[in-house]
Structures are given as C-alpha cells and as structure tokens.
Amino acid sequence: MTTEPTHLADLTAARLTAGYAAGEFSPVEAARAALERAEAAQAATNCFARIDAEPALAAAGESAERWRRGTPSGPLDGVPVTVKDLILTRGTPTLRGSRTVRAEGPWEEDAPSVARLRESGAVFLGKTTTPEFGWKGVTDSPRHGVTGNPYDPRRTSGGSSGGSAAAVALGAGPLSLGTDGGGSVRIPASFCGIFALKATYGRVPMYPASPFGTLAHVGPMTRDAADAALMLDVISGADPRDWSQLGPAAGSFRAALTGPVAGLRVAYSPSLGWDVPVAGEVAAAVRSAVEVLAGLGAHVEEADPGIADPVAAFHVLWFSGAARVVEHLDEADRALLDPGLAEIVAQGAGYRALDYLAAVDTRMALGQAMGRFHESYDLLVTPTEPITAFEAGVEVPAGSGHTRWTGWTPFTYPFNMTQQPAATVPCGVDGDGLPIGVQLVGARHADALVLRAAHALYEAGAAAIPAPPAP
C-alpha cells in the first residue's frame, strides 16, 4: 500500500467527500487546489479547452454550505470534475475541437452523464481537449492544438480523451468524463498512467446519440478503480433521451468492489493471437499484473479468444460515422477540418449500404465469438497498448508503417464493436518513465466484475507507478 497523498489536489473523490463529512477541509479549498493544478496542467500539456474558475468556486461554495448543514446532494457533492469537450454541458460551449462549431450557442442542455453529476453536486472545472469530433486516438485539433503527455509533454497524451487523462494525472480534479468509440478513454489512460472504464454499452446513457452509433460510450476516467465505481454509480442513472440505455443498474458498483478475485477464470492473451509486436517492457509489465491476479487466487491460463482482427469492418463503421458528422458542413467549413479527418470522411462517404451491413455482420460474429469465449473465462487480460506514448502531434508513430491510428491500438476497438466492459489499469513504466497499462475485459454486463478485478490490482499495489513530474 502507498502512503496517502496530503495535497488536496492529489486526493481521490472518495477521500475528498470523507474529508468534507468530517470537516477536515471544504469543497472550496478542494476546488481552489484543483483549479491551481488545472492552470499548471494547461501550461504544461494544453489539456483544457476552457477552465471555468468562477462558476466552479461558486458551485463549491454552495456545496460547502450543504455539507455544513449535513445535506449533501449526492455521493460526489463538492468533488472537482472535468468534462471532455464532446459532451454537452449546460451554459458552456461544447466546441468538439473544431473550428466549424460556433461558440455562441445557446448551450441549454446537459448530457445525461453531466446531468447526473450536477444533481450529485459535482463541481465542474472546465472542458478538456479532444481531437476534432473525437475522430482519432491522439489529441490534437485545429481549434485547440496539441495536448502533451503529463510524463513528457513532447509525447502524446493519447486520445481521443487525452485532455481528460492529462488533467486527472496532474491533479486537475480526480474525476473526468470521457468518451470511447474505439479506445478513447483507455488509450489516453494507459499513456497517462490513470484508470479508465468503458462500461457495457448502454450502461451510461448518451445524448445526443453519437454519429458513430453504438460504438460510442461515455466512461469514467479517474485516479483508481474505486473512484470509477463511485462515479459509475452516479452517471449510470437512467435518462429517457437515450433509447438504447440499459436502465438502472442492479446494484451499487462501489459496493461490489469488495467481492473476491479468488476463483475467477482469467484468460491472459499477450496479443489476442494476432501478429502484434508488443514492446518487451510492456509485455513484462502486463505479465506481472497477471501474476498478481494469480497470486490473489484467480485461475489464470494463457489463452486467445480465437478472433480475427476486425479492423477493416471497424473502419467501415467508423469512417461512415465521420462522414455523417460533417455531412451538414458547406465547402468553406470542410476546408477547416483536420486533414486526416477529411481523408476518412471522403473514404466513409464512398461506402455503400451493403458495405456497412457487411461490417455489421462482422461485428455480430465477433460479439458471438466473445460471448462463447466468456462461457469459459470471466476475464480476458491483454496489454491496453502494445507501445507507450510516442511523439505528440502525429497520428501514428514515426517509422511504424501504420497509416491510421487503429494500426497501433489493436487491443481496444474490438471491444467497442462487441460492447463489452473494458478497463485499463496502470501496471508499470518503461525505461523512459512512461506509463504502461493492462486491459481487463469482461462479458457484456459484467462491469462490476471488471471493476472488482481492477480494484484488487490497486489494493495489491500492482497499479502503483511514479507520479508525473509537477507541472
């Protein structure tokens, strides 16, 4: 176990609310500490599209009064939170990293997850950066520029929720809302050394519906699995605007953290059975995390799920969604787009309906195969990424031979296609001090089990990595 941090900006959400209840410190003090870190994080990594200091301090003051009266609004009352700049937030522009979005608004609605956080009394610090419309696995955009990694700002933060990952890693709020259509909470969490969960599709309601369809999820990005469970308890609340939501959860995700890991059937797949060149330091760190699970009593064996790489089908679905995103733009606005986005838009616009339906067939077959696999195994464990963070400002690592971001993140997008819960846990650093993540994948609806296994890794000390340098 590690020593508890003493700076307010380094405390988890659970520790903050316990401190508020005990009168150790106030939400105003926590908000000030988080805002100070936000300004420093922004200067170091460019992780914010905007910081809303005055509204945050006003909300923190209201929270402090509720705690003084002993009537907090919910389990996250007074906790500093950031929101990815793809997610609607009432009273705040959602610019989506694009010069084609007009800031004037009006911005009159909260997305479901934001609404649930607001009802719980969370304090919104600001909006975090994203690539344009969240289209790729790194974070740079025509509107807000390049977001760097908190461990080395010359490296990428990952994406598309890279601003959220950098903000959490640097203490600008312990919680952030991200989105994940092909790995977009897990990729940056892995590169930035934090926790993230893509829950089962529909567990967190979405509105507006994503143009990328049912690939897209909203998920918590946090300091640890316990905070993610606490956050998921709040944001998984039902919302009538999402026709595909799962409805209320059967129980508390936070309460389920304490269940046993002993006896779980774990399949460790170093490369999903594909020809993926996983960096040696990454492979070693992931294997060590798997050994911790075995030491906790899980039944671990090396096994691949027997699936083929569905990247071609994913591209049809993803690129078609990108074409839909910008369909309404005129020629002048299209000239403002990220050139890489413009390329996949052109490709997506050229697919036929039959191409799309063939990709759906591939997706359904993949889901069936993973469903059968999970009859034998409770968890699938893989590296989150085969590499650590590379140069910032580029879509693919230099010399990799990849042409699109999907080439270097083969372990993430398959589980958007299958709608399974998948989390990333930090499990080490490479020789350059850059974080490494291990991915835990469960069967559909097994969100609580994934969180429990991730929490066990934290409790065992397997997720303890050095903090990033102070910005």
Side-chain angles (χ1 to χ4, degrees):
M1 299 294 291
T2 58
T3 303
E4 181 184 76
T6 55
H7 194 286
L8 283 178
D10 295 322
L11 299 183
T12 64
R15 179 65 183 90
L16 285 174
T17 54
Y20 302 157
E24 296 177 55
F25 39 77
S26 78
V28 174
E29 293 173 292
R32 285 178 177 151
L35 286 166
E36 181 180 342
R37 287 288 185 87
E39 294 288 353
Q42 174 64 2
T45 66
N46 187 38
C47 58
F48 279 92
R50 62 182 289 137
I51 298 172
D52 293 314
E54 289 188 16
L57 289 172
E62 294 168 2
S63 173
E65 179 60 21
R66 290 192 293 271
W67 280 105
R68 188 192 65 78
R69 295 195 308 263
T71 57
S73 295
L76 296 177
D77 202 338
V79 175
V81 175
T82 58
V83 179
K84 184 180 181 179
D85 196 32
L86 291 181
I87 303 173
L88 289 182
T89 307
R90 176 166 44 85
T92 302
T94 300
L95 301 176
R96 300 175 174 88
S98 180
R99 292 182 289 174
T100 70
V101 177
R102 312 300 181 241
E104 306 83 60
W107 305 100
E108 298 176 338
E109 285 190 288
D110 282 330
S113 50
V114 174
R116 302 293 86 79
L117 288 170
R118 198 183 299 278
E119 291 163 3
S120 191
V123 172
F124 296 99
L125 301 179
K127 304 297 285 287
T128 57
T129 51
T130 174
E132 191 166 26
F133 301 114
W135 80 271
K136 59 184 174 181
V138 294
T139 299
D140 58 76
S141 74
R143 186 152 200 156
H144 296 118
V146 177
T147 297
N149 190 294
Y151 283 80
D152 181 351
R154 299 168 299 179
R155 309 286 186 116
T156 182
S157 60
S160 62
S161 307
S164 288
V168 170
L170 291 172
L175 308 178
S176 192
L177 275 178
T179 65
D180 190 316
S184 289
V185 299
R186 289 162 289 153
I187 295 166
S190 178
F191 281 176
C192 295
I194 67 165
F195 179 82
L197 171 71
K198 180 192 74 66
T200 300
Y201 180 81
R203 175 49 56 213
V204 181
M206 291 188 69
Y207 170 84
S210 172
F212 295 102
T214 58
L215 293 172
H217 304 59
V218 171
M221 305 181 71
T222 60
R223 298 257 168 78
D224 60 22
D227 264 8
L230 178 62
M231 192 175 183
L232 190 59
D233 277 341
V234 172
I235 65 176
S236 61
D239 192 291
R241 294 172 292 175
D242 183 355
W243 64 270
S244 61
Q245 66 176 320
L246 295 179
S252 166
F253 294 104
R254 189 181 187 192
L257 291 175
T258 56
V261 171
L264 289 181
R265 301 166 300 168
V266 175
Y268 165 46
S269 180
S271 65
L272 287 179
W274 307 338
D275 185 21
V276 178
V278 178
E281 291 171 303
V282 171
V286 171
R287 184 176 291 275
S288 293
V290 171
E291 290 170 354
V292 171
L293 290 174
L296 294 172
H299 301 304
V300 177
E301 63 178 278
E302 193 165 319
D304 299 321
I307 56 175
D309 185 353
V311 68
F314 179 81
H315 282 170
V316 172
L317 300 171
W318 192 252
F319 297 176
S320 298
R324 178 65 174 162
V325 169
V326 305
E327 186 180 32
H328 67 287
L329 297 181
D330 60 23
E331 186 175 345
D333 273 347
R334 285 176 180 251
L336 301 175
L337 294 175
D338 179 333
L341 174 59
E343 289 174 10
I344 71 164
V345 162
Q347 189 170 343
Y351 293 129
R352 303 171 303 155
L354 288 177
D355 298 324
Y356 194 92
L357 290 173
V360 171
D361 285 343
T362 298
R363 182 181 187 181
M364 289 190 293
L366 180 67
Q368 291 163 7
M370 288 307 303
R372 289 192 294 268
F373 183 76
H374 282 288
E375 289 182 319
S376 301
Y377 298 101
D378 300 305
L379 284 176
L380 170 66
V381 179
T382 74
T384 308
E385 296 300 326
I387 57 175
T388 53
F390 51 88
E391 178 189 355
V394 296
E395 183 183 349
V396 300
S400 66
H402 301 307
T403 56
R404 291 268 81 102
W405 62 272
T406 44
W408 51 262
T409 181
F411 304 131
T412 57
Y413 57 79
F415 305 110
N416 293 81
M417 297 178 75
T418 61
Q419 303 188 338
Q420 295 172 245
T424 182
V425 178
C427 62
V429 295
D430 70 6
D432 292 325
L434 298 169
I436 296 166
V438 57
Q439 180 174 234
L440 310 179
V441 182
R444 291 179 75 245
H445 309 294
D447 307 273
L449 187 149
V450 170
L451 284 165
R452 186 202 320 165
H455 180 62
L457 288 175
Y458 277 93
E459 290 292 286
I465 65 170

